[in-house]
Amino acid sequence: TYSFRSSLYGGMGYGMFHPCGYGSAPIFPEENYPIEWHRQMLEQYQFTKPLFSGDFYIYTDCGSETDCWCSYGFDRSDLNRGCLFAFRRQDCSEDTLKLHLNLPEGEYVFRNYDTEEERSIAIPTDGVDFIVSAPDKPYAVAWYYTKI
């Protein structure tokens, strides 16, 4: 999930196996392939893809260091929705991250994609702090929101 979320982008090709089957590429999934996980990631990609053409927010320094978090998000004000991703890297000792969200003023409902936790938040003109947590490392957290 970490690798999948860190490689999401608008032109991403995401197949279960090579449909033409040329060379050594399999034409069917392996016997123990996690098909349900694959379906969930494909669903997440399809839900996220329209957000890539919106506003891009960098919440933390996204360098190559492995002892910190990396976080960014996308906002589509015309769709009244967006997302934020936070990546706890493999050597990061902190299990929580405080972000300052500078989204357009309004009422929002945030939903954690994995845990289904929901938070209703009023965002004022100067933004609001938002706490993200990750139980393991490396770990990728995905929050989606709707402006109501």
Side-chain angles (χ1 to χ4, degrees):
T1 304
Y2 185 95
S3 294
F4 173 80
R5 287 184 179 152
S6 64
S7 62
L8 280 172
Y9 70 99
M12 181 176 164
Y14 187 59
M16 193 176 328
F17 54 91
H18 195 284
C20 297
Y22 63 85
S24 62
I27 59 172
F28 296 103
E30 304 261 337
E31 185 176 325
N32 294 322
Y33 188 83
I35 295 213
E36 187 53 38
W37 172 85
H38 191 108
R39 284 188 183 122
Q40 290 171 357
M41 295 301 104
L42 183 56
E43 177 184 293
Q44 182 176 9
Y45 171 64
Q46 290 172 333
F47 187 76
T48 308
K49 187 176 178 179
L51 305 176
F52 295 137
S53 60
D55 293 332
F56 177 62
Y57 293 88
I58 298 174
Y59 295 116
T60 64
D61 181 21
C62 293
S64 60
E65 297 81 13
T66 61
D67 62 348
C68 58
W69 286 79
C70 173
S71 184
Y72 55 85
F74 300 93
D75 181 71
R76 285 285 304 269
S77 58
D78 59 323
L79 299 177
N80 289 323
R81 67 185 185 100
C83 64
L84 69 87
F85 295 102
F87 301 91
R88 182 181 180 192
R89 294 181 170 165
Q90 67 264 23
D91 298 319
C92 181
S93 61
E94 301 294 326
D95 62 355
T96 60
L97 173 67
K98 183 166 110 175
L99 303 173
H100 189 75
L101 305 181
N102 285 315
L103 297 169
E105 181 179 9
E107 299 285 329
Y108 292 80
V109 175
F110 284 76
R111 183 176 180 267
N112 183 301
Y113 191 84
D114 297 315
T115 66
E116 299 183 4
E117 174 190 352
E118 285 194 2
R119 299 180 193 174
S120 295
I121 299 173
I123 298 183
T125 55
D126 59 345
V128 69
D129 289 339
F130 188 86
I131 305 295
V132 174
S133 62
D136 298 311
K137 54 183 178 178
Y139 198 87
V141 181
W143 283 88
Y144 290 86
Y145 59 84
T146 304
K147 185 176 182 184
I148 52 176

